[in-house]
Amino acid sequence: MNPADQQTLAQLYPALRTALAPLDAQALPVMDVPAGTTLFHENSPCAGFPLLLSGEVRVSRSASSGRELELYRVVPGELCLVSSSCLFAQQPLSAHGVAVKPTRLTLLKPEAFRAALAQADFREFVLGLFATRMADLTALIEAIAFQRLDSRLAATLLGHGTQVHATHQALADELGTVREIVTRLLHRFERDGLIELSRECITICNSAALRAIASPPSR
């Protein structure tokens, strides 16, 4: 790693300054990869903690059908949750990463990563970004879990009249989902003033708003 890259790395990842000080520049080789390059594969060992100097990496999971789900993107100064979690647990990677534009990066080897975690600044940096990534993934999971389910639930409620005499479990069974998701959606509807919840009874307070949810505009 040349001095210019070292300076860029220190600016992007200031928490690494102390941790990287003992490392020889040769221990952090810089790679330049074109857009479309696969940087790591699912179920492969983690080669290290990626540190981006420029560019962008898309991290995704693949289904057996061949479809992909994008989990998040990594830009300079950010953390790759999949890589760090695999280094923590010493397990294979659970997703794959592809450069979406020309990308310049280096890898902090697993042993160097574990040594760096002994430094409080780096440990707090990693755990802080880890928490942010987890929040992003939680939002993604909720979006997937609730996709179209809110409209189906709204339509089901409207189909029972102004008062719905049913348990959350009964509604979940009718929709083919789990009770916890139905309960969370019902509480969201209640917070928005659309319904009023009581024991085994749901009162419709704003049928027009529920109809709007039940029939969302086509994209």
Side-chain angles (χ1 to χ4, degrees), residues 185-198:
L185 282 172
L186 288 172
H187 283 300
R188 193 186 80 186
F189 287 173
E190 186 177 44
R191 288 195 303 271
D192 292 342
L194 309 184
I195 62 173
E196 183 179 321
L197 298 174
S198 58

Side-chain angles (χ1 to χ4, degrees), residues 13 52-57 73-79 101 133:
Y13 301 93
L52 268 66
L53 299 169
S54 63
E56 185 175 335
V57 175
R73 296 198 178 201
V74 184
V75 297
E78 292 186 347
L79 167 148
K101 58 177 69 173
R133 284 293 187 206

